[in-house]
Amino acid sequence: MSILVSRVSLAYVEAATCFSEPVNREPPSREAQLMTLQNTSEFDILVIGGGATGCGCALDAVTRGLKTALVERNDFASGTSSRSTKLIHGGVRYLQKAITNLDVEQYRMVKEALHERANLLEIAPHLSAPLPIMLPLYKWWQLPYYWVGIKMYDLVAGSHCLKSSYVLSKSRALEHFPMLQKDKLVGAIVYYDGQHNDARMNLAIALTAARYGAATANYMEVVSLLKKTDPETGKERVSGARCKDVLTGHEFNVRAKCVINATGPFTDSVRKMDDNDVVPICQPSAGVHIVMPGYYSPENMGLLDPATSDGRVIFFLPWEKMTIAGTTDSPTDVTHHPIPSEDDINFILNEVRNYLSCDVEVRRGDVLAAWSGIRPLVTDPKSANTQSISRNHVVEVSDSGLITIAGGKWTTYRSMAEDTVNKAVKLHNLNAGPSRTVGLFLQGGKDWSPTLYIRLVQDYGLESEVAQHLAKTYGDKAFDVAKMASVTGKRWPVVGVRLVSEFPYIEAEVKYGIKEYACTAVDMISRRTRLAFLNVQAAEEALPKIVELMGRELNWSELRKQEELETATRFLYYEMGYKSRTEQLTDSTEISLLPPDIDRYKKRFHMFDEDEKGFITIVDVQRVLESINVQMDEDTLHEILCEVDLNKNGQVELHEFLQLMSAVHTGRVSGSRLAILMKTAEENLDRRVPIPVDRSCGGL
């Protein structure tokens, strides 16, 4: 039996409750939520699944006055909802197909998504913002063709149009996107869509539902569905679920009048709990994304490749001061741990190369993180052609009353939830009013303003970069995080000790993340902060500190700390693309260097290998550094050598060094600290100047 991701949300508010304000100032603790789940005799609605749609269902239900519970097998947004392209969009390509094929369904889907885009930008302004996206044109006939399509996109949006699209000349396009391929470029069209921090947005929905009274619990697995016989019809009806706390193993029943299956790719797993003979409707598709350094794209301009070499669409977007590129679209098996393939990573890199100037070397080593998300495409069970993929979401009701919501897209999570709860209210005769989620501010959004970060700087002594990060991550709750920030002991900043030097995440976010239901180190590096999605090496570097801080707050034993460290390291290695880094430099890596280059690198190597042993050790590196008055601790030197020590014998042989330099030459490896250190030492040995050895990019 497949394990499914579930979540628990409880709303023990009566229908007479006023919904203008949340019933809780802060979300109740996970322990309090578990107690509510166990002690409530029957909920109106139990939602299984803690992704965007599941949390949306919980929020919609609880704000109607329904007693609501939500359970999630893993963490909130641990699946597809944290692995998206980070766009809030109607879908330009869907509109193109709607017009070309005269497809009314696709047109309605785009129109609905554009309405939802506007709503999401309004209710979570701290987590989302409009983003201009450039469509470069390399043939004159493309200008009128795409201009008409983009203007139709504006027209369909109507009053929800973010900003009007416009045409740029070749010179103006290069001003806005200087790294663009200029050969044969004739101009560009710029249109607007929304962008957001997907995992944090999902979490904001969950926290808002909890504040309004829903009992939401992550790490609660649905073991089986409960059923009882309907006295009027004599048929068995789903009446709840047997749930297990994944962290403790404790099991108990959660009873509900209605159960909603909102488990994304795991839709069929829950449907089979209800009826083992049910025909599957989910057709999972894998979408891979990569993250590259921020210098690959302008700070506030995205790029759309509408027709890749295989007909897919590729986005190239600035995100969190980095550059995100994707996505692919290929059939896959359903798994809790999808892994990005090297073929997909290279496909994206090749498409990026087609659009960037030849002056910009697109290197495999500049991939800082990579991930795969499983998109739950579905077939409509009501359709005559059950093999055809539904372009919209599907709400299905089983014979026993299990309601399944599947398909759709991130942007339309709210309308999907509204449709689902409408069906639940009608089917189970629940006492509830209409949906209240349009315009309902999510956690942190109500009192946020673009200048809120200035108060954080002035009132608490935070760095400006850190303050801006806290404001756009937590909104008006950023002050609560700032209050928990540690004193730095420096003149400036006064508070806010960073987890890792390159990113504005601070130690206080770990403590606050626990209040946001973070239970593991993986929760913290991937969904409370986004370190794992931005730079896996930086995430690995921050892990020991994060585990130590969480262990202190949650009273973890030394064994638990070690387990958390190992689990998080495996997560980075397999699911976030770290494995790809090791595959770029192995003991079987070919040396593809010209003879003059080999001679040059041998000379550099022998500068460190003074005794001509054929290898260098920490002692050799320390000797050269001391000769130019540079001090470096032994642990850092050990880390630097380990990056290149392929056979793990504590030393770097000449062959390994040549393999490294060959990989650097071909772009498979970038930011190698040993390569940079040895090159700089060679250049500065006579001048005796300090050597900068900060990690450069840290690419995979």
Side-chain angles (χ1 to χ4, degrees):
M1 179 183 297
S2 299
I3 301 175
L4 100 98
V5 182
S6 8
R7 271 190 142 163
V8 185
S9 264
L10 145 70
Y12 56 99
V13 290
E14 300 303 325
T17 301
C18 174
F19 293 96
S20 60
E21 294 293 335
V23 297
N24 301 308
R25 184 182 179 279
E26 298 294 337
S29 67
R30 182 174 182 272
E31 291 70 23
Q33 299 285 48
L34 293 178
M35 289 297 294
T36 303
L37 285 171
Q38 293 182 73
N39 297 334
T40 300
S41 58
E42 185 180 52
F43 291 95
D44 292 319
I45 287 180
L46 166 63
V47 182
I48 306 174
T53 304
C55 291
C57 288
L59 180 58
D60 189 281
V62 73
T63 52
R64 297 191 195 204
L66 297 172
K67 290 185 179 181
T68 307
L70 180 149
V71 290
E72 161 61 45
R73 179 190 179 275
N74 204 295
D75 185 28
F76 302 121
S78 58
T80 309
S81 295
S82 63
R83 306 180 191 219
S84 72
T85 312
K86 323 303 179 194
L87 283 177
I88 311 169
H89 62 133
V92 172
R93 58 176 175 162
Y94 295 128
L95 181 60
Q96 179 189 22
K97 292 179 181 178
I99 296 172
T100 304
N101 303 327
L102 300 177
D103 191 326
V104 176
E105 181 191 355
Q106 290 232 44
Y107 172 79
R108 288 173 178 165
M109 182 182 70
V110 172
K111 190 170 181 64
E112 176 188 55
L114 290 171
H115 172 269
E116 294 302 321
R117 178 188 70 179
N119 182 66
L120 199 48
L121 288 167
E122 178 185 346
I123 64 177
H126 57 304
L127 292 170
S128 59
L131 176 71
I133 300 175
M134 180 181 291
L135 182 63
L137 307 173
Y138 289 91
K139 295 177 181 177
W140 282 108
W141 66 263
Q142 293 178 326
L143 179 56
Y145 177 77
Y146 286 118
W147 183 84
V148 170
I150 295 298
K151 281 301 175 184
M152 282 293 295
Y153 194 61
D154 291 348
L155 186 63
V156 173
S159 61
H160 301 304
C161 181
L162 302 180
K163 289 185 182 180
S164 183
S165 57
Y166 54 91
V167 176
L168 291 174
S169 65
K170 176 179 178 178
S171 60
R172 291 284 289 162
L174 291 172
E175 282 181 29
H176 284 80
F177 210 117
M179 54 284 291
L180 197 62
Q181 172 64 263
K182 63 185 73 173
D183 294 342
K184 298 183 180 180
L185 181 70
V186 298
I189 299 174
V190 176
Y191 73 97
Y192 286 80
D193 256 327
Q195 188 177 51
H196 69 152
N197 186 334
D198 53 3
R200 293 293 317 183
M201 185 73 79
N202 193 154
L203 184 63
I205 301 168
L207 294 171
T208 306
R211 290 182 63 205
Y212 272 89
T216 58
N218 53 354
Y219 292 97
M220 286 296 296
E221 176 186 350
V222 169
V223 178
S224 62
L225 295 178
L226 305 177
K227 292 187 177 182
K228 65 180 181 181
T229 302
D230 187 328
E232 294 183 5
T233 64
K235 294 182 179 179
E236 279 199 331
R237 308 286 291 178
V238 172
S239 60
R242 180 73 176 176
C243 299
K244 181 175 75 173
D245 187 336
V246 175
L247 302 178
T248 65
H250 177 57
E251 292 188 15
F252 55 87
N253 293 336
V254 178
R255 299 196 176 276
K257 297 173 184 175
C258 174
V259 176
I260 294 175
N261 170 20
T263 53
F266 304 95
T267 291
D268 289 327
S269 299
V270 179
R271 293 173 71 242
K272 286 185 177 296
M273 288 184 184
D274 177 38
D275 179 2
N276 196 48
D277 298 324
V278 73
V279 177
I281 61 172
C282 186
Q283 298 191 16
S285 172
V288 171
H289 295 82
I290 63 174
V291 166
M292 307 176 78
Y295 56 70
Y296 272 94
S297 66
E299 195 170 324
N300 194 37
M301 179 69 75
L303 186 75
L304 167 64
D305 179 356
T308 61
S309 56
D310 67 350
R312 292 184 282 195
V313 171
I314 289 287
F315 285 99
F316 192 63
L317 311 167
W319 183 68
E320 298 288 321
K321 298 187 177 180
M322 295 295 181
T323 301
I324 183 172
T327 176
T328 60
D329 186 6
S330 54
T332 187
D333 295 326
V334 177
T335 173
H336 288 287
H337 308 289
I339 299 173
S341 73
E342 188 63 24
D343 287 344
D344 282 332
I345 292 172
N346 285 320
F347 167 80
I348 295 172
L349 288 173
N350 287 332
E351 294 302 324
V352 169
R353 289 187 185 101
N354 292 336
Y355 275 87
L356 294 190
S357 168
C358 57
D359 297 334
V360 180
E361 183 185 0
V362 180
R363 306 180 298 182
R364 174 62 181 82
D366 281 339
V367 177
L368 306 176
W371 67 86
S372 176
I374 301 178
R375 186 184 177 201
L377 304 176
V378 294
T379 55
D380 189 344
K382 299 176 183 176
S383 172
N385 180 10
T386 56
Q387 297 304 309
S388 63
I389 298 293
S390 173
R391 303 179 186 93
N392 213 327
H393 62 269
V394 172
V395 179
E396 180 208 36
V397 180
S398 73
D399 292 339
S400 61
L402 174 68
I403 297 178
T404 294
I405 172 66
K409 54 195 293 186
W410 220 121
T411 307
T412 58
Y413 84 91
R414 193 213 61 82
S415 61
M416 292 167 63
E418 180 180 347
D419 289 348
T420 306
V421 177
N422 283 345
K423 177 69 72 173
V425 169
K426 181 178 179 181
L427 184 69
H428 295 275
N429 297 316
L430 301 177
N431 183 20
S435 176
R436 296 176 170 89
T437 50
V438 171
L440 180 73
F441 280 107
L442 298 183
Q443 168 105 337
K446 186 176 181 181
D447 295 322
W448 175 86
S449 73
T451 58
L452 183 146
Y453 79 95
I454 297 175
R455 287 181 54 198
L456 294 173
V457 175
Q458 294 176 336
D459 295 353
Y460 295 94
L462 288 161
E463 291 176 80
S464 180
E465 183 187 13
V466 170
Q468 290 181 60
H469 154 68
L470 294 181
K472 74 174 187 177
T473 301
Y474 303 95
D476 58 32
K477 298 295 180 183
F479 296 100
D480 295 340
V481 183
K483 290 173 185 176
M484 303 171 74
S486 304
V487 175
T488 64
K490 302 176 183 177
R491 183 186 63 80
W492 189 263
V494 180
V495 300
V497 178
R498 294 195 182 208
L499 289 171
V500 64
S501 61
E502 305 100 305
F503 294 93
Y505 299 107
I506 60 175
E507 291 181 358
E509 292 181 78
V510 177
K511 301 174 185 176
Y512 191 78
I514 293 171
K515 296 178 65 176
E516 295 181 319
Y517 304 132
C519 299
T520 70
V522 172
D523 297 345
M524 203 64 71
I525 61 173
S526 60
R527 293 174 289 274
R528 301 312 180 278
T529 73
R530 305 310 306 274
L531 265 177
F533 284 80
L534 295 171
N535 189 318
V536 292
Q537 284 187 282
E540 183 188 45
E541 183 180 313
L543 259 180
K545 185 182 291 186
I546 288 173
V547 169
E548 190 60 37
L549 288 168
M550 292 189 74
R552 195 180 307 157
E553 296 293 318
L554 297 172
N555 297 317
W556 286 347
S557 65
E558 290 302 317
L559 177 61
R560 174 67 187 275
K561 289 180 187 177
Q562 186 60 35
E563 290 174 347
E564 287 291 329
L565 201 58
E566 292 173 357
T567 300
T569 301
R570 282 197 304 272
F571 169 78
L572 293 174
Y573 186 77
Y574 290 106
E575 296 185 51
M576 300 311 300
Y578 212 167
K579 180 175 183 289
S580 299
R581 175 185 183 276
T582 61
E583 291 174 346
Q584 301 312 307
L585 182 63
T586 66
D587 54 10
S588 60
T589 298
E590 292 184 8
I591 299 175
S592 53
L593 295 169
L594 296 174
D597 292 326
I598 292 178
D599 291 340
R600 179 158 53 96
Y601 293 134
K602 281 184 176 179
K603 179 183 175 183
R604 185 177 299 171
F605 183 85
H606 290 310
M607 181 186 71
F608 283 75
D609 181 22
E610 191 176 58
D611 302 328
E612 297 186 359
K613 306 181 295 297
F615 60 85
I616 59 176
T617 64
I618 290 177
V619 174
D620 296 316
V621 178
Q622 282 178 325
R623 174 182 51 78
V624 174
L625 294 181
E626 287 172 1
S627 71
I628 53 176
N629 300 319
V630 172
Q631 300 294 323
M632 190 177 299
D633 65 85
E634 191 169 322
D635 289 341
T636 301
L637 284 175
H638 178 71
E639 288 178 9
I640 291 174
L641 261 66
C642 276
E643 292 173 359
V644 189
D645 180 14
L646 304 178
N647 55 16
K648 304 304 176 188
N649 62 356
Q651 57 199 31
V652 176
E653 284 88 3
L654 174 61
H655 186 75
E656 290 174 321
F657 178 66
L658 293 177
Q659 286 176 313
L660 166 66
M661 298 315 300
S662 179
V664 170
H665 260 254
T666 59
R668 295 196 308 275
V669 169
S670 69
S672 167
R673 290 187 281 178
L674 182 64
I676 294 170
L677 185 149
M678 294 180 70
K679 178 177 182 292
T680 313
E682 182 183 54
E683 293 173 346
N684 295 283
L685 190 58
D686 292 332
R687 287 175 290 175
R688 302 293 194 267
V689 297
I691 304 174
V693 292
D694 291 341
R695 181 174 63 236
S696 171
C697 295
L700 300 181

